[in-house]
């Protein structure tokens, strides 16, 4: 029960930022890793830099979505047209080969000294301002201590000498991404629907959709249709070069975190410092200070219903309401409300009565989302989403014990044991310090019934009129919409095989 949830987290090591070495470039965390060393790096992390999305709707002929995609300007120092290609770089850069060795030899080298090199994008929403979001290119790998220097040299090679000039290899890798895309859409359609719905509410939501949503999926499938992989190779090389060249000013744009046993830490720090020195040497000599450019094209007051027809016989429904940032006093209460709605109301309404495989609600940074999965209905489900808000606002159907169980469920999800090689990585990535984490934790512990009712009535009931709805589903369901004029119905932009 809740009595087992301590007010102060027992293992503070996982929350307190490890000691920095060499200014703030390298953070070290001595852990019992059994001879393994863990390397984490973030590129593009000027502490002042923020991502803002300019209001450029008119320039794109009134198409807000196209304007947001065309005018992303952020702290990775990329020109706007290259942002949509970042996920592609993360997927293929470690598998393309370098100017020193082909992709097969590189794969053998990587396997010999590590468990793999992983590239990704981190989006860090501002805790107070939903129109701000920082983004970083993340590098993660681990291997045995005696291979650490070799592993870091391979990272240097991949980041500074990556060779995209083999169009056949690039075509193979993109084709594999395309082959994975449609099964993923059918398996996780509710995730794509929620991303599409919340993309109009916050800067982080817009970028999440661009990088991992239906926009990215259609980008990949479109590349396969156009089949211009020599041009794509040039674009990817240009984008990666711009990111690397943006890491100047004595490494202001590079942060690293190292996990190892004490005996292995000093040589690991030396290898990591050599890695960042190399990046700084190829970087532009002067790096512009991070500053907001333009502003997020806010659609929070502009409700929108979109239906994307996909090759499926069922529907995936998503709805998102504008709410509050993480630091707002009502955020914790909304998280409890979401858990109550999921476990006590939506499951019964959407799955047991509605016949969908599943459905629920979740509270995020600046948005409150609803979803259904493999759903035969659309409008019935949207009515169930709306009714669940009335259910939680009425407050007659749940007890104080239910609230405590909802809190316990939230704590059990967020306080799983952290392995030695990952301790402190979350704080390293999102920049949330120990005191802030403790304050947010205390707020969740202290949520009362009155807090849940006030937050739900203020932010959910009031904001349903601004709900953004996105459905991915069957053509037959689109044809049955009761008021088609209130929906934007689109076909997927590229042909895909029927699943």
């Amino acid at each position: 029960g809740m009595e087992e949830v301590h007010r102060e987290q027992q293992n503070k090591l996982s929350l307190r930022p490890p000691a920095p070495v060499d200014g703030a470039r390298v953070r070290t965390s001595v852990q019992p890793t059994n001879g393994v060393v863990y390397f984490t790096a973030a590129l593009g992390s000027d502490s002042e830099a923020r991502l803002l999305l300019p209001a450029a709707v008119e320039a794109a002929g009134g198409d807000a979505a196209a304007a947001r995609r065309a005018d992303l300007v952020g702290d990775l120092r990329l020109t706007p047209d290259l942002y949509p290609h970042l996920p592609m770089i993360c997927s293929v850069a470690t598998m393309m080969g370098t100017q020193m060795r082909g992709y097969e030899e590189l794969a053998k080298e990587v396997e010999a000294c590590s468990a793999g090199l992983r590239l990704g994008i981190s989006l860090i929403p501002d805790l107070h301002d939903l129109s701000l979001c920082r983004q970083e290119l993340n590098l993660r790998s681990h291997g045995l201590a005696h291979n650490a220097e070799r592993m870091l040299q391979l990272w240097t090679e991949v980041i500074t000498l990556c060779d995209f000039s083999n169009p056949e290899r690039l075509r193979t890798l993109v084709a594999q991404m395309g082959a994975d895309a449609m099964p993923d859409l059918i398996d996780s359609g509710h995730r794509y629907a929620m991303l599409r719905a919340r993309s109009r509410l916050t800067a982080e939501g817009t970028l999440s959709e661009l990088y991992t949503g239906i926009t990215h999926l259609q980008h990949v499938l479109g590349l396969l249709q156009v089949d211009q992989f020599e041009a794509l190779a040039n674009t990817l090389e240009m984008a990666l070069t711009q990111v690397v060249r943006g890491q100047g000013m004595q490494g202001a744009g590079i942060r690293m975190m190292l996990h190892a046993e004490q005996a292995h830490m000093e040589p690991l720090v030396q290898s990591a410092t050599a890695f960042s020195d190399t990046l700084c040497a190829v970087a532009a000599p002067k790096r512009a200070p991070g500053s907001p450019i333009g502003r997020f094209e806010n659609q929070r007051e502009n409700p929108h219903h979109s239906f994307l027809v996909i090759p499926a016989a069922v529907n995936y429904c998503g709805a998102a309401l504008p709410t509050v940032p993480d630091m707002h006093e009502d955020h914790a209460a909304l998280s409890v409300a979401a858990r109550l709605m999921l476990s006590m109301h939506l499951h019964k309404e959407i799955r047991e009565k509605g016949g969908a495989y599943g459905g629920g609600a979740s509270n995020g940074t600046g948005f409150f989302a609803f979803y259904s999965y493999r759903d035969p209905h659309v409008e019935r489900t949207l009515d169930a989403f709306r009714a669940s808000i009335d259910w939680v606002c009425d407050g007659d159907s749940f007890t104080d014990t239910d609230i405590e169980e909802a809190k316990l469920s939230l704590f059990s999800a967020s306080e799983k044991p952290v392995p030695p090689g990952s301790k402190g990585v979350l704080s390293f990535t999102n920049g949330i310090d120990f005191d802030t984490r403790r304050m947010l934790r205390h707020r969740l512990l202290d949520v009362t019934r009155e807090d849940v009712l006030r937050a739900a009535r203020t932010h959910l009931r009031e904001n349903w009129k601004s709900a953004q709805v996105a459905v991915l589903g069957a053509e037959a369901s689109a044809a049955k919409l009761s008021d088609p004029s209130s929906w934007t119905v689109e076909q997927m932009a590229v042909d895909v095989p029927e699943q």
Side-chain angles (χ1 to χ4, degrees):
M2 280 297 289
E3 66 276 1
E4 295 173 20
V5 178
H6 297 279
R7 190 159 190 84
E8 297 301 329
Q9 188 134 9
Q10 297 300 292
N11 184 3
K12 293 183 182 178
L13 272 177
S14 63
L15 294 181
R16 287 202 180 281
V21 178
D22 185 27
R25 266 203 283 174
V26 186
R27 290 187 180 274
T28 61
S29 180
V30 175
Q31 297 288 341
T33 58
N34 217 10
V36 177
V37 298
Y38 294 82
F39 171 74
T40 306
L43 309 185
S45 51
D46 186 325
S47 60
E48 295 177 78
R50 302 290 179 185
L51 177 85
L52 286 170
L53 310 176
V57 179
E58 295 79 12
D63 181 348
R68 286 201 304 279
R69 288 197 293 277
D71 284 287
L72 296 175
V73 181
D75 50 324
L76 284 172
R77 300 296 184 268
L78 280 175
T79 48
D81 57 310
L82 296 179
Y83 274 97
H85 295 282
L86 272 179
M88 183 73 65
I89 288 175
C90 293
S91 297
V92 306
T94 60
M95 295 188 284
M96 280 301 298
T98 70
Q99 291 167 30
M100 294 171 66
R101 64 191 94 229
Y103 68 87
E104 289 170 322
E105 187 189 342
L106 178 65
K108 287 178 187 169
E109 283 287 311
V110 168
E111 190 178 349
C113 69
S114 74
L117 308 182
R118 293 185 301 283
L119 265 174
I121 305 167
S122 285
L123 299 176
I124 305 105
D126 189 90
L127 291 174
H128 303 275
D129 185 345
L130 297 171
S131 71
L132 294 172
C133 177
R134 198 173 83 241
Q135 56 179 343
E136 297 176 339
L137 203 61
N138 269 359
L139 288 58
R140 291 210 73 189
S141 63
H142 64 273
L144 293 173
H146 68 267
N147 288 325
E149 184 178 7
R150 195 169 163 205
M151 179 174 78
L152 271 291
Q153 286 169 349
L154 283 178
W155 267 124
T156 305
E157 191 178 319
V158 166
I159 296 298
T160 61
L161 299 174
C162 189
D163 183 8
F164 294 104
S165 66
N166 181 342
E168 286 307 314
R169 174 64 175 166
L170 196 52
R171 181 185 281 108
T172 301
L173 293 172
V174 176
Q176 184 58 55
M177 292 169 70
D180 294 340
M182 285 315 294
D184 187 54
L185 181 62
I186 301 303
D187 284 344
S188 307
H190 59 302
R191 185 184 74 83
Y192 286 99
M194 279 196 293
L195 279 171
R196 194 171 166 90
R198 71 181 184 85
S199 69
R200 297 162 60 87
L201 300 180
T202 67
E204 181 272 332
T206 302
L207 287 167
S208 289
E209 208 288 321
L210 177 70
Y211 292 153
T212 64
I214 204 79
T215 300
H216 173 61
L217 190 148
Q218 295 197 111
H219 177 66
V220 171
L221 295 173
L223 289 171
L224 289 168
Q225 279 197 329
V226 174
D227 198 22
Q228 292 181 344
F229 286 94
E230 284 163 3
L232 177 63
N234 292 335
T235 303
L236 296 181
E237 184 174 345
M238 198 183 313
L240 185 56
T241 300
Q242 282 189 23
V243 170
V244 174
R245 282 182 64 79
Q247 308 307 312
M249 276 176 61
Q250 290 75 54
I254 306 170
R255 298 185 303 126
M256 293 175 287
M257 186 168 186
L258 311 172
H259 295 76
E261 288 156 328
Q262 187 68 60
H264 302 136
M265 191 59 82
E266 190 177 337
L268 182 58
V269 169
Q270 289 173 356
S271 296
T273 306
F275 165 76
S276 66
D277 287 346
T278 306
L279 258 61
C280 292
V282 298
K286 282 196 171 178
R287 189 164 191 263
S291 59
I293 305 168
R295 64 184 178 82
F296 172 52
E297 179 55 36
N298 192 332
Q299 297 286 333
R300 290 166 78 84
E301 304 306 318
N302 182 11
H304 186 254
H305 288 53
S306 75
F307 194 115
L308 184 69
V309 176
I310 64 170
V314 288
N315 307 301
Y316 303 87
C317 303
L321 283 62
T323 56
V324 295
D326 288 10
M327 293 297 281
H328 192 285
E329 59 183 5
D330 288 339
H331 191 269
L334 288 172
S335 295
V336 174
R339 196 52 65 119
L340 290 168
M341 293 155 84
L342 167 68
S343 60
M344 299 185 67
H345 185 76
L346 285 167
H347 179 82
K348 180 167 63 179
E349 293 298 318
I350 292 174
R351 176 163 180 157
E352 294 174 18
K353 293 184 184 177
Y357 273 36
S362 64
N363 183 42
T365 300
F367 68 91
F368 191 97
F370 297 92
Y371 61 92
S372 72
Y373 177 75
R374 290 184 178 259
D375 191 342
H377 305 289
V378 174
E379 287 166 310
R380 185 195 181 285
T381 296
L382 298 180
D383 290 342
F385 293 163
R386 177 68 185 86
S388 73
I389 293 176
D390 292 332
W391 175 87
V392 79
C393 288
D394 292 345
D396 300 331
S397 303
F398 57 88
T399 65
D400 288 347
T401 302
D402 295 325
I403 290 175
E404 295 301 292
E405 287 181 3
K407 288 188 203 176
L408 194 59
S409 173
L410 290 165
F411 277 117
S412 67
S414 66
E415 297 192 352
K416 293 173 181 168
V418 179
S422 297
K423 290 201 172 176
V425 168
L426 186 61
S427 294
F428 169 82
T429 303
N430 63 25
I432 299 177
D433 60 26
F434 175 75
D435 291 334
T436 303
R437 290 273 293 275
R438 180 170 58 184
M439 183 266 288
L440 295 174
R441 191 172 188 280
H442 287 182
R443 278 188 183 170
L444 182 55
L445 273 170
D446 294 338
V447 166
T448 64
R449 178 186 194 79
E450 290 69 32
D451 293 333
V452 172
L453 295 176
R454 182 193 69 253
R457 289 166 182 168
T458 303
H459 304 290
L460 302 185
R461 182 176 273 168
E462 288 299 310
N463 287 350
W464 178 257
K465 63 182 181 294
S466 302
Q468 311 287 332
V469 175
V471 178
L472 277 55
E475 194 152 16
S477 297
K480 287 190 243 172
L481 294 170
S482 60
D483 180 12
S485 64
S486 67
W487 288 78
T488 303
V489 180
E490 305 168 70
Q491 299 281 336
M492 273 197 73
V494 290
D495 295 327
V496 290
E498 187 83 37
Q499 293 293 310

